[in-house]
Amino acid sequence: MANPKTKAGILLLHGDERFLIEEKAKATLDSWRSELVSDFGFERLEGQGLNAARLQDSVLQAPFLDPYRVVAVTMLPAARAEGFAAALVEVPASTRVLITVAGRLGGGNRLAKAVINAGGTVEEMTHLKGRSLSEWAATRATEHGLTPAMAAQVVRVTPPDLTIIDSELRKLAAYKASGSKLTDNLLPHPTPEALKIARGLSRGGMQPTSVAYRMARHISLVLEVRARQDRGESLSDVKSQMSEHPFVVQKAFDTARDADSNRLEAALRAIRDYEWEVKSGQIDPELGLDVLLTRL
């Protein structure tokens, strides 16, 4: 039996939160595989259909070209987990084992005990809720270049599912990276920062007409939201009826309060004229974009 004070290269991940299990598994495998010098040192075994004898055979194999072997068992069914305890009775120092379980294991589970007896680690990933969910979302938002306030808003309007929350945060990050700073400085009148950002986007590879199209989409969104406000619709009504991300609708709703519909329509006409003049060769696209922003 391994010395319990010595952590062997064995990690068992189980629990109800599959997203966290898969994230921890990926990070662990990325770290372990970084020291391998060949593909021979890594073996992935699907938990469905796997048996203890097959796992034991893989664990006991000696490394060929690599300093150690990495064996990864993916999503072993929780109901069958105990039957694999015998496969970990002997784990060579030259083998690292990662096992992810589809579901939660009880405290007396024999596989979990076998991992601990071998000097390994057992981690349970539970569903996050309340404060822990908010803190996770805030950290995740920061990793995506967003603010904790954005994370809090996403948590409020989405189901408490980490996969969904992460997906929404990624969408927001993509939106932010693709020009939200421009639209933030566009209404009620373009600021000097808007001109600077527009130039940066066009000189960074985005076509000036694409920048103008992004501006038109934002103005159209604000115009539509303004029309809904005039009809007496609340923010929750607008969010439920529009396909845009709730955070984007929230920002448009705030902007629309002080917007003038006639000026918004005039701005759309100016953008339409700019695009026609560019396509007909009457003006330089980049210089024309500067002029357009000053006209708005």
Side-chain angles (χ1 to χ4, degrees):
M1 181 181 297
N3 184 341
K5 294 183 180 180
T6 302
K7 291 295 183 183
I10 310 172
L11 176 60
L12 173 64
L13 302 173
H14 71 104
D16 299 321
E17 187 48 76
R18 183 162 180 161
F19 183 90
L20 294 180
I21 291 174
E22 292 179 344
E23 281 232 318
K24 180 62 180 284
K26 181 181 183 304
T28 300
L29 290 179
D30 286 347
S31 174
W32 287 356
R33 295 184 69 179
S34 66
E35 298 180 36
L36 300 182
V37 297
S38 75
D39 293 336
F40 297 109
F42 176 71
E43 184 173 11
R44 186 185 298 277
L45 302 172
E46 295 297 330
Q48 196 71 37
L50 182 65
N51 58 56
R54 175 70 181 85
L55 174 58
Q56 185 177 44
D57 178 67
S58 182
V59 168
L60 294 177
Q61 286 183 39
F64 177 47
L65 299 172
D66 301 278
Y68 51 79
R69 275 175 49 79
V70 174
V71 178
V73 178
T74 304
M75 288 299 151
L76 184 68
R80 298 179 53 233
E82 288 200 326
F84 289 81
L88 301 181
V89 171
E90 181 184 354
V91 180
S94 59
T95 300
R96 298 185 182 184
V97 183
L98 170 70
I99 302 175
T100 61
V101 177
R104 180 181 178 276
L105 302 179
N109 185 273
R110 289 200 296 270
L111 177 60
K113 287 183 177 181
V115 170
I116 294 172
N117 289 338
T121 302
V122 177
E123 293 186 23
E124 179 182 354
M125 303 299 186
T126 60
H127 283 310
L128 301 183
K129 54 185 177 180
R131 183 174 180 178
S132 60
L133 177 61
S134 298
E135 290 176 348
W136 178 88
T139 300
R140 198 71 173 183
T142 302
E143 293 172 356
H144 289 314
L146 304 173
T147 65
M150 292 179 178
Q153 186 162 1
V154 169
V155 170
R156 282 197 298 270
V157 300
T158 57
D161 183 308
L162 301 193
T163 301
I164 296 175
I165 292 173
D166 184 63
S167 175
E168 294 303 307
L169 290 173
R170 288 178 184 275
K171 291 177 186 177
L172 278 176
Y175 167 76
K176 179 181 177 182
S178 63
S180 69
K181 289 184 179 180
L182 171 62
T183 56
D184 287 346
N185 288 276
L186 194 59
L187 297 173
H189 299 287
T191 66
E193 186 68 13
L195 182 60
K196 178 181 177 181
I197 295 169
R199 286 174 175 170
L201 289 172
S202 61
R203 292 171 185 173
M206 182 179 289
Q207 292 294 325
T209 50
S210 296
V211 177
Y213 173 72
R214 188 176 300 278
M215 292 161 49
R217 284 191 61 186
H218 178 67
I219 294 171
S220 296
L221 174 63
V222 174
L223 182 61
E224 181 179 353
V225 171
R226 176 65 199 209
R228 291 178 178 274
Q229 288 177 340
D230 291 341
R231 293 197 296 268
E233 294 184 20
S234 66
L235 175 59
S236 59
D237 292 333
V238 176
K239 283 183 176 180
S240 66
Q241 296 176 35
M242 299 189 71
S243 60
E244 285 78 6
H245 193 283
F247 179 76
V248 177
V249 175
Q250 169 80 64
K251 295 182 72 174
F253 194 90
D254 294 340
T255 302
R257 286 196 183 101
D258 301 319
D260 179 87
S261 298
N262 292 329
R263 293 191 65 88
L264 294 175
E265 291 174 354
L268 289 175
R269 289 194 295 271
I271 295 173
R272 178 201 61 194
D273 293 344
Y274 159 76
E275 292 180 338
W276 182 82
E277 290 169 352
V278 169
K279 291 177 181 178
S280 61
Q282 298 182 44
I283 60 173
D284 176 79
E286 193 167 332
L287 292 177
L289 183 61
D290 287 352
V291 174
L292 172 63
L293 283 164
T294 60
R295 290 172 58 191
L296 298 181

